[in-house]
Amino acid sequence: MTRVNDELIINGKRLKNRMTMAPTVKFDFAGPDGKVTEKHIEHYKERAEGGIGLICVEATAVTPGGRFGENHLGLWSDDQIDGHKVIVKNCHDNDVVAIIQLNHTGITANPQCGEAIGPSAVETRDGGLSRAMTTDEIHEMQAAFVDAAIRAKKAGYDGIQLHGCHGYLINQFAAKKTNLRTDEYGGSTENRARFGAEIIRDIRRECGDDFLISIRTIGADPDLSDAIEIAEEYVKSGCDYLQVSHGQGEIDSALEDATKPYNLICSLGVRFHEHFKGKVPVSCVNSLLEPEQVKYLIENDLTDTVDLARAVLADPNFPKAVLEEGKSYVKCFECARCQYGPFTQHKCPAEMKRKK
């Protein structure tokens, strides 16, 4: 039986245990220059010291126009590399694998930062229309992702994660709802996956065989079978690791087993693990806030790794509570609006309780 403290090798990178930190954006940490700040450095240092096996640094913009807002971390310039070197060093000093998530908002672009562009002209959340990218623009955007990955490697990261879910650009290409194209980037599953798959292929070519490439991919958008086929294309292109989350719309509730101690989104990762077992490792995520949930998923061979977000935001030492029986920790309060969330001040009540 696999235990949470069993190591896992992913493309030559040794995870000391089966817990990983999910990419969670710190919206008021960065400035308009997109550079790492002391707040970022301290935040990730605390989590690296807390016992986690891998840290995925938050969604990082590959172009200035692809930011969530003007206070969003970036890797579109060589000037942004140095701060990331400090984050990586703190991870490696604590025997933690470090990767970084690369993203572009696409049709959900913040108008203060850039134009709403994507695979097709579709309605945006403010009621306008996005602009369909030309083929040349698609290739330029793919190159921006690759360039950011090269910068990540220069900073010392063990690899990258592409943000392929939650309704952002790679997800927009993969989803039938937002991809209405009739060229080689639209229509069939293979074509809708092409945008992300070609980025993976090109990162592999530029960053080498030993660079860990993962993607946070859709578990169902809306169909499980379509999402698995999309992920198959990513794996064929050289993806080493699938971290499964949700896409743009509703998920079929029939995919959830209410008798299990995890929710619908997490269950998608379980189904991916069943499908990709023996091919690439898979991670589950969402509302995993108690040590018993983590142990259940790993010890019953339902996933390869467990992606933790709010649990390690509330208490960086949560992994130690999973690994050490009886170890106390401060549990996430499950606030209706997360105080680590977008456009809110960081006043996490669990964090404040922990620091008293």
Side-chain angles (χ1 to χ4, degrees), residues 52 54 78 83 93 201 228 262 265 287 339:
I52 204 82
L54 175 149
D78 288 352
D93 285 349
R201 180 201 65 196
I228 286 177
Y262 51 82
I265 293 172
S287 294
Q339 297 305 301

Side-chain angles (χ1 to χ4, degrees), residues 288-307:
L288 298 171
L289 304 174
E290 299 179 3
E292 292 73 21
Q293 292 173 297
V294 177
K295 292 176 183 177
Y296 183 91
L297 284 160
I298 297 298
E299 292 175 1
N300 286 283
D301 192 25
L302 299 175
T303 186
D304 295 290
T305 60
V306 170
D307 229 6

Side-chain angles (χ1 to χ4, degrees), residues 122-181:
V122 296
E123 186 174 356
T124 62
R125 55 190 173 194
D126 63 2
L129 278 182
S130 61
R131 181 175 64 78
M133 299 167 70
T134 67
T135 303
D136 285 345
E137 287 174 324
I138 288 173
H139 295 159
E140 289 168 5
M141 185 65 74
Q142 290 173 316
F145 274 92
V146 176
D147 288 345
I150 292 169
R151 293 185 187 102
K153 183 172 183 178
K154 289 179 179 177
Y157 283 106
D158 299 295
I160 59 93
Q161 179 184 100
L162 297 178
H163 199 337
C165 54
H166 300 178
Y168 300 118
L169 186 60
I170 295 175
N171 184 181
Q172 291 158 21
F173 270 91
K176 297 175 185 177
K177 178 181 177 181
T178 45
N179 187 343
L180 312 178
R181 301 179 75 95

Side-chain angles (χ1 to χ4, degrees), residues 142 162 169-170 173-174 185 191-203 213 215 233-234 237:
Q142 290 173 316
L162 297 178
L169 186 60
I170 295 175
F173 270 91
Y185 290 97
N191 284 356
R192 285 182 283 114
R194 190 181 304 277
F195 178 73
E198 289 181 343
I199 293 172
I200 292 168
R201 180 201 65 196
D202 292 348
I203 291 174
I213 301 175
I215 187 165
E233 295 299 319
Y234 298 151
S237 296

Side-chain angles (χ1 to χ4, degrees), residues 272-289:
F272 266 61
H273 175 68
E274 292 171 357
H275 179 86
F276 285 97
K277 192 171 184 179
K279 297 180 182 178
V280 293
V282 170
S283 188
C284 291
V285 72
N286 205 262
S287 294
L288 298 171
L289 304 174

